[in-house]
Amino acid sequence: MTTHPLSAHIASVLAIDPDAGAIDFAGDWTTWGQLGSLAGSVSALVTRLNPEPTPRTGILLRNTPEHVAAFLGVLLAGGTVVVINPSRGDERTRDDIAALELPVIIGTEADLDKLVAGSASTSVVRLEGIPAEPVVVTEATEKPTEQPSSEDASSPVAVHMLTSGTTGPPKRVELSYDMLAHSVLGEPATRIAVPTTLSSGAAIVNAPLVHIGGIYRILQCIVAARPFALLGRFDLDEWARAVRTHQPKAVSLVPTAVRMVLHSDLTRDDLASIKVVTSGTAPLSVEDSEAFTDKFGIPILTSYAATEFGGGVAGWSLPDHKKYWADKRGSVGRASGGAQLRVVTEDGTVLGPDESGLLEVKPGQLGPDADWIRTTDLGKLDADGFLWILGRADQAIIRGGFKVIPDVVRDAIESHPAVAGASVVGRPDDRLGETPVAVVELRPGATATSEDILTHLGARLARYEVPTELLIVDTIPRTPSGKADLRAVRDQLAGAIR
C-alpha cells in the first residue's frame, strides 16, 4: 500500500527535532522523539496484529500524550482509527465495542479492565504511558467479522468518528485520508510542504480527542510542527496557566468555555497575548460574543462545521470581522475551504437572499464533484454570502401552532446575568401539542429564582416562546464537545417532577 501524503507528512514532522518538547501536559513535557517512538511502536503493532491494507483499530481516546501517540501511530500504519469514547457510560461503551467487532483495541489499563470483554477475534493493546512501550495483553486467535465500508480505494478511511448524539443515538461518520489532508494540509495543488524546523510558540488544545474538533486541532499542530499544551479537559485554571506560559496569539473555545472565561476573574492582562478567539461546535450568542470582546478586547470568530462535512464549511475571517461585524452580527461567517452553501425549501426550491429555510452544503473537503448535503439546520444567506444559523429544524417545538426555536429561547435565558448556561427542549402537552421547558445552570456565587429568570424572559420573548417550566440545576449534562446532551436533559427534567 502506498503511504498517503498525510501519513508521510506526520512521519517527517516527528523526526525534525526529537529532543525538543512536543506536548506540555500539566507542566510535563513529552518530546517529539518520545511521541514519534511510541507512535512508531503502535504502528508496528497494528500492522502485525491486523495485516489488512487498512487495519481498523479502536482507541479508547482520552486527552493524554500517549493517546495522541496511539492516534498518530494508526495513521502512520495507514489504518483506520475507530474512535471510542470511554466517558459515555460503561454499559453503552461496552455495547458499542461489542457491535464494532474490532480486530485491535488500544487503551489504558483502567479503561480496558472496565470496558473491554475478552474476545477471540480481538487483540488488546495496553498503553503504559510515555516513554514506555505498549503491551499486547491478548492476541486474537480468530479473524473478526468483515465490516462493510464505503471507503474508496484511492482514499481509505482514516477516522471512524462517533458524532455527539445530543438528540438521538450517536452515529458513526467516515473521514477519509483525503478529507483530513484537505482540511489540515490544503488542496493538493497548494498543499503545505513539510516544515524543516519546528514552529516557535505553542498552541493550546483543550477540545476532546473523541470530538472532531480535538482531532483537527491535534493534526493542525502536528502538520505545522507546532508544540502544544494539551488539557485533559477544559479547566479554567489549567487553561489560564497554559495561556500565561505559552502566550498564544490565537485560541479556540467552545461556547461553554467562552462563558466560563467571560464570567471569570481573568483580566485583559491575563489574556494579553491573544489576538483572536475561534469558536464553533455550538451556537454562541451575540451578547456573549460582544461581552467577551468588550471585557478582553479580543474578537471572537465563529464558524460552522459538522463531522459529516469533514470539517468547517463557513466562518469569520479577521478582515471580515473588522469590516462587517457591526452590520452582520450573529452570522457564522461566509463559506470557507471551497465549500458552497444554499438555503432551500423542504421540496428543494432554492431560496433567495435573507429567506429562511433548510441549509444545504457542498463541502470543499469532499472535492468538486460532491453532492449537496441537506442539513437539519434552519438558516439564511444574505446577498454578501454571510450565513446565519437560526436553529435545528428537527428540534423546533410547535406550541399550539406556533414554532419555537430552542436556540432562540436559550440565548434569551443566557442573557440573564446570573445564568452560566441553559438548555431548552420540548415536552408533550395534551392541549398544545408541545411546550418549551428549560434547565438552567447558574454562575458560581450567583443567585436567581426560576421566577426571576421567567420575568427576565417576558421582555425578550413572545409569550408562546416562554418556557412552561424552568428548572435550576447544579450542572447541565453535556457531551465532550460542550453541547447540552438533550436526552440527558429530558431525563433530568423528568426526574425532577416525579
Side-chain angles (χ1 to χ4, degrees), residues 277-293:
V277 171
T278 59
S279 185
T281 76
L284 176 67
S285 71
V286 172
E287 290 75 15
D288 284 340
S289 177
E290 293 184 339
F292 191 97
T293 302

Side-chain angles (χ1 to χ4, degrees), residues 105 285 432 434:
I105 294 179
S285 71
L432 298 171
E434 206 173 17

Side-chain angles (χ1 to χ4, degrees), residues 196-213:
T196 57
T197 59
L198 299 178
S199 298
S200 60
I204 299 175
V205 178
N206 46 261
L209 278 170
V210 294
H211 184 263
I212 188 66

Side-chain angles (χ1 to χ4, degrees), residues 78-93:
T80 298
V81 175
V82 181
V83 173
I84 303 172
N85 181 358
S87 302
R88 290 182 63 229
D90 294 354
E91 186 175 340
R92 283 202 297 175
T93 304

Side-chain angles (χ1 to χ4, degrees), residues 262-444:
L262 172 62
H263 297 304
S264 72
D265 294 330
L266 294 172
T267 67
R268 286 197 179 202
D269 288 342
D270 293 314
L271 310 187
S273 70
I274 301 174
K275 306 305 178 188
V276 66
V277 171
T278 59
S279 185
T281 76
L284 176 67
S285 71
V286 172
E287 290 75 15
D288 284 340
S289 177
E290 293 184 339
F292 191 97
T293 302
D294 289 343
K295 180 175 180 177
F296 298 112
I298 304 170
I300 296 182
L301 306 183
T302 53
S303 61
Y304 176 76
T307 306
E308 295 86 342
F309 304 153
V313 294
W316 280 92
S317 66
L318 194 54
D320 272 355
H321 192 277
K322 291 177 179 177
K323 183 176 181 180
Y324 291 108
W325 177 257
D327 295 325
K328 301 179 188 293
R329 56 199 296 270
S331 165
V332 294
R334 295 198 261 197
S336 61
Q340 298 178 54
L341 311 174
R342 70 184 184 187
V343 175
V344 302
T345 61
E346 288 192 7
D347 64 8
T349 302
V350 179
L351 298 171
D354 298 317
E355 292 185 293
S356 302
L358 291 167
L359 177 65
E360 290 190 340
V361 178
K362 268 192 179 184
Q365 292 88 329
L366 300 185
D369 299 324
D371 295 327
W372 286 100
I373 297 175
R374 177 169 293 189
T375 73
T376 56
D377 288 317
L378 298 169
K380 66 176 182 178
L381 287 160
D382 72 6
D384 295 315
F386 283 86
L387 170 66
W388 279 259
I389 299 298
L390 306 177
R392 289 279 295 271
D394 60 351
Q395 293 175 20
I397 300 164
I398 308 302
R399 178 179 182 175
F402 292 97
K403 182 179 287 187
V404 179
I405 302 300
D407 285 342
V408 172
V409 181
R410 177 189 53 78
D411 281 350
I413 296 172
E414 290 182 348
S415 69
H416 189 287
V419 172
S423 180
V424 179
V425 296
R427 172 181 289 166
D429 183 272
D430 291 339
R431 184 172 65 89
L432 298 171
E434 206 173 17
T435 66
V437 292
V439 293
V440 175
E441 184 179 334
L442 298 182
R443 290 168 49 191

Side-chain angles (χ1 to χ4, degrees), residues 34-255:
Q34 291 170 332
L35 189 65
S37 177
L38 181 53
S41 296
V42 169
S43 177
L45 275 179
V46 166
T47 302
R48 179 177 72 79
L49 295 171
N50 184 19
E52 298 292 332
T54 309
R56 290 188 310 127
T57 303
I59 307 181
L60 290 148
L61 277 170
R62 294 191 182 274
N63 277 35
T64 70
E66 55 264 37
H67 285 91
V68 173
F71 175 81
L72 297 176
V74 176
L75 297 187
L76 291 178
T80 298
V81 175
V82 181
V83 173
I84 303 172
N85 181 358
S87 302
R88 290 182 63 229
D90 294 354
E91 186 175 340
R92 283 202 297 175
T93 304
R94 291 191 200 102
D95 290 344
D96 189 28
I97 292 171
L100 288 166
E101 296 185 303
L102 293 161
V104 182
I105 294 179
I106 299 174
T108 60
E109 182 175 20
D111 285 337
L112 294 175
D113 288 348
K114 183 170 61 172
L115 301 170
V116 179
S119 170
S121 60
T122 300
S123 297
V124 177
V125 178
R126 184 174 68 234
L127 295 174
E128 297 279 281
I130 286 184
E133 288 291 296
V135 174
V136 178
V137 179
T138 57
E139 190 162 342
T141 57
E142 298 177 5
K143 187 174 181 179
T145 304
E146 190 70 24
Q147 294 289 310
S149 174
S150 62
E151 68 181 53
D152 186 298
S154 64
S155 183
V157 175
V159 180
H160 211 188
M161 172 63 64
L162 190 68
T163 60
S164 60
T166 55
T167 59
K171 60 182 179 180
R172 290 194 172 271
V173 175
E174 294 181 343
L175 305 179
S176 73
Y177 276 83
D178 282 354
M179 290 170 67
L180 288 181
H182 185 285
S183 293
V184 300
L185 296 177
E187 298 180 15
T190 57
R191 187 160 284 171
I192 65 172
V194 177
T196 57
T197 59
L198 299 178
S199 298
S200 60
I204 299 175
V205 178
N206 46 261
L209 278 170
V210 294
H211 184 263
I212 188 66
I215 282 178
Y216 276 128
R217 200 77 176 108
I218 293 290
L219 286 176
Q220 286 168 343
C221 291
I222 296 296
V223 301
R226 182 177 300 281
F228 56 93
L230 178 66
L231 274 64
R233 60 181 178 81
F234 185 82
D235 175 85
L236 184 64
D237 292 338
E238 176 59 18
W239 181 82
R241 180 203 71 82
V243 169
R244 286 191 293 267
T245 300
H246 300 294
Q247 299 287 296
K249 293 182 179 179
V251 295
S252 180
L253 296 171
V254 299

